[in-house]
Amino acid sequence: MSEFEHPARSAPGHEVTVEDVRQLMGASTPHFALQLRNRIAKLIEGLPADHPARVEGEREIARLVRLGYSGEVRGMHAQAGQRPLKSNAEGLAEAG
């Protein structure tokens, strides 16, 4: 993911809104969570502490940090009725 910012959001005089923050949040995944966190932080950095977009942005940054560091867990046991998947190590051993 690029750190490129949408031109309308970075235009001089643009009033940052909660909707701007929500557009960046989108359907965030663990893979891109920390990049999104950086983009939101940059977007809200000059806003006063009580600005609605800053409040929303800070809440989202906290969520993205959690998601980025612990949001994707692998190697869990199969749930009832599911077959367990092979780990990468098992798959590489069979392929070699």
Side-chain angles (χ1 to χ4, degrees):
M1 172 185 292
S2 167
E3 291 285 331
F4 177 75
E5 187 53 64
H6 189 281
R9 280 195 291 270
S10 56
H14 175 74
E15 173 72 27
V16 177
T17 66
V18 171
E19 185 58 31
D20 290 329
V21 173
R22 289 180 180 160
Q23 285 177 5
L24 285 174
M25 290 166 27
S28 47
T29 64
H31 186 75
F32 295 118
L34 300 180
Q35 291 92 336
L36 291 170
R37 172 203 61 188
N38 294 345
R39 293 176 72 193
I40 292 171
K42 184 177 177 182
L43 180 69
I44 65 172
E45 71 185 341
L47 299 176
D50 62 342
H51 191 286
R54 183 173 195 117
V55 172
E56 181 75 8
E58 288 175 349
R59 183 174 28 247
E60 182 61 14
I61 286 170
R63 186 187 73 81
L64 289 167
V65 168
R66 287 190 309 273
L67 181 64
Y69 287 111
S70 63
E72 184 173 340
V73 179
R74 296 178 183 211
M76 300 293 288
H77 297 287
Q79 295 178 0
Q82 292 182 324
R83 292 181 295 136
L85 298 175
K86 294 178 184 176
S87 72
N88 264 351
E90 291 170 332
L92 291 174
E94 288 178 8

